[in-house]
Amino acid sequence: RTSSELARFIKDETELPSEDLGRIQIYESHSYVQVTAEQEKGFIEELAGKEFLDRELRVERAKARR
């Protein structure tokens, strides 16, 4: 999976404007997607429970670094 595949999926599945989609970091077990604060709640609600590459998404706000 690539960040462009995930970005395309997000654009297809949400009403998030392209300019509000920021950096995407993909790791083996999880990914981080940066969105504007104004779009955060709707973004989480729109993607929660959807499937991407045969995996159900668990979407939550990232915890602050310590």
Side-chain angles (χ1 to χ4, degrees):
R1 70 190 170 181
T2 65
S3 57
S4 61
E5 288 174 317
L6 184 52
R8 192 172 319 111
F9 172 79
I10 290 168
K11 289 174 187 174
D12 289 346
E13 296 293 326
T14 70
E15 296 180 16
L16 185 72
S18 295
E19 61 270 10
D20 290 342
L21 181 60
R23 184 176 178 191
I24 297 175
Q25 298 173 283
I26 296 181
Y27 300 95
E28 192 164 323
S29 64
H30 64 281
S31 300
Y32 292 106
V33 177
Q34 184 181 30
V35 297
T36 61
E38 295 82 21
Q39 298 290 342
E40 179 184 336
K41 184 179 179 192
F43 176 79
I44 290 172
E45 290 173 356
E46 285 182 296
L47 285 180
K50 297 216 184 241
E51 285 195 13
F52 176 66
L53 300 178
D54 297 323
R55 294 183 69 184
E56 184 175 337
L57 299 178
R58 188 178 88 205
V59 185
E60 58 189 50
R61 189 174 206 278
K63 295 167 181 53
R65 291 183 178 180
R66 292 180 180 198

